[in-house]
Every structure is written in C-alpha cells, then in structure tokens.
Amino acid sequence: MKRLLLFSSLIFALFPPTLPAQNVDSATLLHPPADSWPTYNGEYSGQRFSKLDQINSSNVNSLALAWASHFDFGAQSFAQQANEGRRIKASPLLVDGVLYFTITDNVWAIDARSGREIWHYAWPNNNAIHVANRGLGIYGSWLYFMTPDDYLVSLNAKDGTERWRVQIADVKQDFFSASAPLIIGNHVLVGPGNNDDIRAFLESRDPATGALQWRWWVDPDPGAPGSQTWSDNATMMKGGGFPWLNGTYDSELNLYYLGTGNGVPMDRPPHPTPDGDSLYTASIVALNPDTGKLVWAYQVTPHDTHDYDAAQMPILFDAEFNGKPRKLVAQISRNGYFFLLDRVTGEHLLTTKFMPQTNWAKGIDAQGRPIPDYTKDANPPGALVSPYPIGATNWWAPSYDPKLGLLYANAARTWAYFTTAGYGRFRFPPQYVTVAIDYKTGKVVWSHELGDQSAVLIAGLITTAGNLLFTGDSTGNFMALDPSTGKTLWHVGLGQYVTNAPITYMLDGRQYVLVAANDTFFAFALPEPPAGAGQSASAKHR
Amino acid sequence: MVLLVSTVTAVRAQAPAVDPAAAARGKGIFGANCSFCHGAQATGTEQAPNLLRSPLVFQDKGGDVLGPFLKTGRPTLGMPSFASLAPAQVSDIAAFLHQRLTEVRGKRLPEAALLVGNADAGRAYFNGPGKCSTCHSPTGDLAGIGTKLQPLALTTAFLTPQAKPEQVRVTLPSGEAVSGTLKFMDEFTVALIDSSGTYHSWVRSSVKSVDVTDPLAAHKEMLPHYTDTEIHNLLAYLVTLK
C-alpha cells in the first residue's frame, strides 16, 4: 500500500498535470469574455464593474457557498514570522476555467470549479520585505509575477514550470516588489517599491524574453521638465515616488494611467516652504506604453509631507460632464480628496473632499490641487492631522458603476499627531466605511460603516449589473450592498476579514463571486438546480 | 535655525554609543522579522509606523523597553507578538534602531520641543470650553499625570485615551432588556457579558434596540474639534500636574 502510494506520487511528480493550451492575446485582454478575468482589475478600465447579472438584487439572498479552499501557507518555508505577506491579497486571474493567484514567493493554479490545486510554484526563500503580492499577468500561455526580491518571473501557465527570470531591482538596496505585472500590447509593465531615499521608476519588459524595453523615471533627469520643482538635483535623484500598484489603460488613446508614490524623505527641502512640488511624485500620470514617455501629469498632493501617495487606481470611464460627453479619469486618493480629470488632456474638472475630517490642506488652488497647510507638518509643537499615513484610502480596489454614475471605495477615518520629537500613535482604531461618490458632483451620496474591529481593513470592491456591490467589513463579514443606497442585501461571516478584492465570472452557465480571507478562497453562487432537473442522477454522477 | 542646531548638538551628546557589530546583526534580524511592516530602514510603510519617530524606541536602552513590548506586541492594532525572540536578538534589534536614530538624529528634536503652549490658557480651556473638568480633576484622577507620562505620550493619552469596556443594553421584542459589558458587536450580531458573568448574544435584526454607552464617547466626539493651539495649551497645563 505504502509503495503504491509512493509510486503514484512519483508519477505525479514526473508528469505534473498539464492544462489545455491557454492563449490570452491582446484582443482577449481588451475584451475579456465573461468566463475570464485576465488582468488585475478584470479589464483595463479599472471599473471593476461586471456585466454579469445572474446573481442580482432580487436573488442575492439565496447566494450560497459553492466551494471553499484553504491554502496552508504555514507549510511553505518563510523567512518571516508574521503574517502580512502570507495573506491572499492578489486578485486572481481566471482563464479557461483555471484560477491563478499568488502570495509572496508563491504561485498557484487552481480549478475554478472546485478550488482544487492543479500546480504550485515556490520561489526560493529570501529575506526581502514580504508585504504583499497582488497577483499575476498573463499573455499567450505565459504567466508573469514579481518576487519580493525583485525578479520578474515568467511561468508556463500549463504546468507552472519556469521559463525565465530577470532582475528588476537590487534587493540589497531595500527594493521589494508587490504589484501585479500588467500586460499591454507587447509590454509587461512592472514596478518595484522602496521606502528609502532612492530614485523611483516603472519598467516595460519584453513578454517573450524579459528584456528591458524602456524605463520611466518618476523623478526627472536634471534640467528636464519637472526638475524645477525640486530644491536640488541630489534630492531629486533619490526623491522616491514608486508607483507600487499597477494602473489602467485606454487602448484608443494608447495611454497608460498610473498613480505615483509619495516623495521622500518627508522633510526633504525646500521645507516648509510651499514651492517645490516634487514632480512627478504623488501624481496621476499618463504614459505612452510603447515608449514610456510622459504625455501628461496631474499632481494630487504637491510636495507631500505625510506619506499620502497617489498610487490608488485611476478609474477610466466615458460620461457626460457639464453637458459634454467626456473621456474621464477619476481617483479616490489616499490624501482624502476625490479628483476628476479629462483623460485625453489631463485637464482638471473636479476636486472634492470625500473624508470630511481631512485637514492637511487649507484650500484648493486654481488647478484643483489641495494647498498644503505646512502647520500640519511634523513640526516641533506638534499637529493633529487627518488622515493618518495609512491614508483616507489605500490599495483597496475601488469600483465604478456606469449605470448609476457612482464611484465606490473603502475608506478610513484616521488621525495622527505629527511632531518632530516623535510620532504620536493613536489608540482609537481607524473606523472604516464604504463611500459612494457621484462623479458629477464629487459628493458622497451614501456611506456604509464597516466598523473598527481590525487594525487594517484591506477589502476591495466590485459592482455588477445585477445591481450589487460586494465587499467585506472589519469583522470578517462578506457582504452584498445595494449600490444605489448602501443598504446590506446579503452577508456571510467568513471568520476572517476579507484580504483581497472580490472577482466574479461565469462558468458552465453559473455566475460565481470569489473572495479571499487570509489563507482561504470562498466561491459563492446561486444554488444548483436540484439533481434530476434536466438529467438523471446517475448520469450526473457517472 | 540657531536654536535648531544647538538642540541637535545637545541630543547628539546624549546618544548612547552603538556597537556596530550588534547593529549589523540587528539589521538582519529586523530585515527578516519586522521590515515588511516597518520598512527595511525602520521608517515605516503603509502597514506600520516609522520606528525612528517612536517614543518607545527613544526611551529604550539596549532593549529594556523594546524587549517587554515585543513579548506582547499589540495584536489588536496589527503589531504581532514576538515572544520567541531571544534577549540577545532583541538587543541586536535595539542596536540597529539606535544606529538608525543616530543617522537621522539631525532631524529629531527632544520632546521638550512640544512644550510651547500657554499653561494658563490650557487651564482655562480645561475648566471652560473643553469641559474636561466635568469628568476629570487635576488633584484627583489626573494628579501626577505630568510626571507619569512624557509630553508626547501625554498628548496622545488625552487625545485618544486607552479603550475602556463599553456597556450595552439590548432590548428584546418583548420589551425585556438585558444589560452588561459589550463583548462584540458588528452590523449583524451583538454579544455581552451580564453581571453574573453569563454570555448572551443576539442577531441584531431579531432585537428591538441596542444601546451602547462608550465611556470614551466624549473623547471621540472631541477629537476632530481641537485646534493645534488648544492641544499645545492643554499639554502645557497637564505637564504642571506633578
């Protein structure tokens, strides 16, 4: 018996299961079919709105668990003792009935019908920062993922075998990588992160070979446009601003929209004078994905001094604004403000405060940018500041419902006491809330309290044509809300709070909603028709 | 500017000598255990605060404050416990953090820098518009608070005091009410422990009302309304309560 078992596992090791040939081409990425989710946001606009409506507001109360699948990350060898990097923060990809997801150092292919593992790939143990891994990119039949120690790795989607690896940055300089590579045309866009004083960049790599195609520097070259917003070249050339999430893409304009990180150090010169914006940190930028050239930029936090990066997803949609049809880009930003721009030109249209207690700015300038109140910097007597650096929102995936013209994000009410003597940490935990923002006015039309029970709430959102919004609260409930009112229509306690953004897809005529909490995936669907309906029970079980 | 330079010199003179070998070991231990939340250089990330601005780290000498803190952590606030770290590992981490502090020293002022407020104005605010005196007494519960807490800790103590158990009263459809200490509440369920120590819970949609009394409600309500000057004045007053 023992020998037999051994023999069969040996066969398994020699011949890992292979999957039908995946072929995700540019057309699939531009127009993903309903039975796929081939990029981080499902498609390029960042709306996280699904046209599926089998699950809808009239039947969501019968939504039930289809499967749950637990992944024992404890069995992996980690250098780290704490849990942050071991949570499923990735948005899984779905192609041909197979889900692909990551946690730091690890990639899995699992069956979307059952949650069962098909293959698993483990990157060697390393001492890099293991904060998160937000998922994969797929192109042809090849997967792309970033390791914490800054390699871009390409795997065969069929069996998880490694095709190649290329180094993007040097872990010895404290780089780390957490974002999901995004494939646009013939480009794999990747960016690492770094919390230190170092020059920030985004790269494009060749999907076939991993060779560098271009590199865009957030901090400009000396003398180049933008460099006049820095005190001196030395500060600028290590000014930071890493775009640590991926962005969104408009294929007609051929523009890639990306939010950049905050400048470093927080008290860099000139300080505390109001000039010296530190371009292109804390900005929404539009890049040509073929050349890496900057087309336009809009800074949402001039000369940031509070760690308010602008990495949040720039959401693309076409809608009327002031009576004119517009191509728009919106960002619900970490600094507590909502921004609406024309995405062709970067022209500013609207700025509003979506978290009312936000107090680091004293007004809005002629270009719609908040005007920093430098008495709210870390100064000797101390200043009470909202939001706390974790932000009014963070990487928690937002959504846009085009039927209602409402944008949604999970947000936090937070405070901190900034001083030069130290950093006052507050004992009142952040209070989390889902906000719905009318893009035309920037006003919050409803908000739904999510509680203050977890130190970090990181659940993202999706909306669907079934008139539903899915997200999680701070106590471990996964919920469907009415997107027009914020009212709870359905909920289930998962025991652990949601750690990624839900996705939804159609498989065999059945709509699934898939979400992760810590180390477990939960797939929900409407109950299957009773056995016997349509086919005999024996036929079904054969 | 002159003031800044002289203060910096004063602080540097007090800085404890750091053993570079211990700091190098500490960097590795910190890298493996702490960096993905606090950043490789301990300057903080989206997950966790900058430790080079932590009062707890400032007060530490050779791990004497850090050690006990790491034993428990603050799990409810996202800071795990590191009970398994050996004392030598803790003192190596401390050496690394103190080395980092020395590196950024020029940017940090001592806590005395917080004391710019007017104590008389602070007293007037305490007894007047702040309504502090309706719950506190400078000779009663707050006596000695200026000795017990350093200025930054004292500021965060009055801005956001330590959470206290909340009381709750659950009214059932029958009109009967059950009261006790709130154990758990979210949008869907509520649980309490009554005076006999018995645990009760309800699905919230099945009860008539849930009334929570939070002893810190006044503090939570006040937080968004302080001006920085009021905070500076209050601190200047509270430190006189020796």
Side-chain angles (χ1 to χ4, degrees), chain A residues 80-81 129-130 174 195-196 376 380-382 384 395 415 417 420-423 426-427 448 455 475 477 488 491, chain B residues 32-33 36 40-41 45-47 53 58 77-78 108-109 113-114 116 160-162 186-188 223 228 231-232:
Chain A
Q80 283 66 32
Q81 296 176 9
I129 294 182
H130 279 58
D174 296 325
N195 294 314
D196 295 333
K376 291 294 182 186
L384 180 63
W395 64 274
W415 296 89
Y417 201 61
T420 36
Y423 196 179
F426 279 13
R427 302 196 193 87
H448 182 114
T475 55
N477 293 299
T488 307
H491 78 276
Chain B
N33 292 287
F36 47 102
Q41 298 296 339
T45 68
E46 63 189 281
Q47 305 287 339
R53 292 186 168 180
F58 298 161
L77 292 171
R108 187 167 69 82
L109 296 174
L114 292 170
V116 297
T160 67
Q162 194 69 51
D186 67 6
E187 192 179 325
F188 311 106
L223 187 60
D228 289 337
I231 295 170
H232 304 155

Side-chain angles (χ1 to χ4, degrees), chain A residues 304-387:
Chain A
D304 165 70
T305 53
H306 297 104
D307 199 352
Y308 302 150
D309 60 53
Q312 295 68 49
M313 202 55 69
I315 307 171
L316 314 183
F317 57 100
D318 297 347
E320 204 163 272
F321 186 77
N322 283 346
K324 258 177 61 186
R326 288 270 199 171
K327 289 182 183 298
L328 300 167
V329 52
Q331 185 180 62
I332 303 169
S333 203
R334 182 164 175 163
N335 66 10
Y337 288 86
F338 164 75
F339 298 89
L340 186 71
L341 312 175
D342 180 311
R343 74 170 181 273
V344 183
T345 59
E347 178 196 345
H348 170 261
L349 300 174
L350 192 64
T351 305
T352 57
K353 214 187 247 190
F354 69 94
M355 292 306 264
Q357 69 277 18
T358 301
N359 73 356
W360 62 273
K362 55 189 179 199
I364 306 282
D365 72 12
Q367 303 153 58
R369 306 180 312 164
I371 305 165
D373 174 354
Y374 288 103
T375 69
K376 291 294 182 186
D377 281 3
N379 59 44
L384 180 63
V385 180
S386 181

Side-chain angles (χ1 to χ4, degrees), chain A residues 395-424:
Chain A
W395 64 274
W396 322 322
S399 178
Y400 171 72
D401 184 330
K403 298 192 307 329
L404 300 169
L406 297 179
L407 291 141
Y408 308 91
N410 286 340
R413 283 187 216 108
T414 54
W415 296 89
Y417 201 61
F418 276 75
T419 80
T420 36
Y423 196 179

Side-chain angles (χ1 to χ4, degrees), chain A residues 11 50 52 56 77 80 112 120 199 215 290 350 370 447 449 461 489 494 501 522-523 526:
Chain A
I11 289 189
S50 164
L52 299 179
N56 57 53
S77 60
Q80 283 66 32
H120 167 222
R199 198 178 183 201
R215 186 178 257 212
D290 295 324
L350 192 64
S447 55
E449 295 295 323
L461 304 155
L489 300 175
L494 300 181
F522 298 88
L526 295 172

